[in-house]
Amino acid sequence: AYVDSLFEGVVAGRRPELAKAITLVETTNPVKKVMAQILLNKLLAALKERKESTANTTASCLRIGFTGPPGAGKSSMIETFGKYLTTQVGARIAVLTVDPSSTSTGGSILGDKVRMDELARDPHAFIRSSPNKCNLGGVTRTTLETIFVGEAARYDAVLVETVGVGQAEHAVLN
């Protein structure tokens, strides 16, 4: 019932269920990982069905990765570009940021949402910071799955900001 509730909320584009679905997808709890896999299978089936029913008459979700060294202006660029997409193009966007992990709690220590304060208030933008949990490649182990959740929530674009460690952000290309 919980997975069904999350599924219905995500495909309807409701933010609370979207946030909960991402939390479920990112879990390391073995029981919840099974629930996350069930949810992802349902969401992927819905995405496939949506693409088949539209017969390519509608554009699919755009995926863009932003990478570079710390302090290069990734968050500032995303905020400016994101505001352009929401205000000038009329797009709904999801921004997935990857932050360094706290060694004590395992959670995000920077919170890029704080640096995108204008975009964070935009009702057409959803921003989610996720800890990298020492995953190499600049993204989390579940970034791809989180992108699928954003696509299932009918966002027009998903913007991914890597952790910004310098030379290790190769995974955002995949």
Side-chain angles (χ1 to χ4, degrees):
Y2 181 66
V3 170
D4 292 335
S5 172
L6 288 181
F7 172 78
E8 293 299 326
V10 168
V11 297
R14 292 193 301 263
R15 293 163 83 102
E17 285 90 345
L18 175 60
K20 290 175 186 175
I22 291 172
T23 298
L24 184 64
V25 166
E26 292 178 339
T27 190
T28 57
N29 179 299
V31 174
K32 291 183 179 179
K33 281 174 95 168
V34 172
M35 293 170 60
Q37 192 58 53
I38 293 167
L39 175 62
L40 285 168
N41 288 339
K42 290 177 67 119
L43 292 173
L44 289 171
L47 281 169
K48 182 179 178 186
E49 183 179 311
R50 187 183 313 150
K51 285 181 182 178
E52 290 171 355
S53 70
T54 60
N56 294 325
T57 58
T58 59
S60 60
C61 182
L62 181 64
R63 299 175 183 177
I64 302 174
F66 293 82
T67 190
K74 295 181 298 293
S75 295
S76 297
M77 172 65 183
I78 290 171
E79 179 162 58
T80 300
F81 183 58
K83 288 299 291 178
Y84 169 78
L85 289 174
T86 61
T87 61
Q88 302 300 310
V89 178
R92 292 179 66 241
I93 65 167
V95 179
L96 308 175
T97 68
V98 182
D99 288 337
S101 296
S102 164
T103 54
S104 59
T105 67
S108 295
I109 58 174
L110 292 177
D112 285 314
K113 187 182 225 178
V114 174
R115 292 195 299 263
M116 297 181 216
D117 59 335
E118 238 182 274
L119 193 58
R121 291 189 304 269
D122 189 321
H124 300 292
F126 174 84
I127 303 175
R128 172 64 177 242
S129 295
S130 298
N132 73 339
K133 297 186 180 176
C134 301
N135 189 57
L136 298 177
V139 296
T140 72
R141 66 171 180 77
T142 58
T143 296
L144 182 59
E145 291 87 347
T146 306
I147 290 170
F148 292 146
V149 175
E151 290 177 344
R154 299 180 185 266
Y155 282 95
D156 300 304
V158 176
L159 312 180
V160 178
E161 179 183 359
T162 66
V163 74
V165 293
Q167 301 299 314
E169 288 93 347
H170 56 82
V172 77
L173 295 173
N174 300 329

